[in-house]
Amino acid sequence: MHQELILNKINSVLEATDDGLVQKIVSEVDKANRIFITGAGRSGLVSRFFAMRLMHSGYKVYMVGEIVTPSIQAGDLFIVISGSGGTETLLPLVKKAKSMGARIAVVSMKGTSPMADMADLVCQIGAGNENSFGIVKGMPMGTVFELSTLVFLEAIVSYIVHEKGLTEEGMRALHANLE
């Protein structure tokens, strides 16, 4: 019962998400020199999933805040995952990346927000209304956005795998071996 509730809700959110966003974000990823990714809280965890899979797909990817992350520059892509599009700790990062000439992609449940106003691409998850992200008993405090975003981003990776003809073996060769 609970698994069905979660899967049905994620499915309804993703059905309301513009299918064309996958190709748009892949285009941004493909033309970027480097990709920088961030998010806060559970959205930050989702951003780590995506960063890892992009790295496995052969892209040069950095997680913002890691000690080995270099400075962002023009020609780079900054992907921010924020349900509200207004996370106070992330806004200065978006402003800085924009001032350095990086392109900005915001993955959010809102099509308009402080981050969306600065973005080159807004990936709005869901329909942008209460039907997508209203309170769902058993899916507390942002779960609907986070899980829907995780599946949306995994669909982007699946698209990349298919379009580029990536193999499990090739991706596995890039997987960490110092674990």
Side-chain angles (χ1 to χ4, degrees), residues 78-147:
F78 186 37
I79 300 173
V80 182
I81 300 171
S82 171
S84 68
T87 308
E88 290 294 325
T89 57
L90 300 178
L91 278 169
L93 302 176
V94 176
K95 290 176 186 174
K96 180 66 173 186
K98 190 75 171 175
S99 76
M100 298 306 296
R103 291 188 56 81
I104 310 295
V106 174
V107 180
S108 179
M109 68 175 97
K110 296 183 177 181
T112 57
S113 68
M115 287 181 198
D117 292 345
M118 292 182 273
D120 298 290
L121 174 63
V122 178
C123 294
Q124 182 178 320
I125 305 300
N129 58 37
E130 198 61 28
N131 293 332
S132 292
F133 297 105
I135 294 173
V136 177
K137 186 172 175 73
M139 296 181 75
M141 303 172 355
T143 298
V144 175
F145 172 73
E146 295 143 3
L147 291 180

Side-chain angles (χ1 to χ4, degrees), residues 26 28 33 36 51 58 66 71-72 75 86 122 158-159 161:
V26 170
E28 291 290 337
N33 294 332
F36 293 74
E66 297 293 330
S71 59
I72 198 164
V122 178
S158 178
Y159 178 88
V161 166

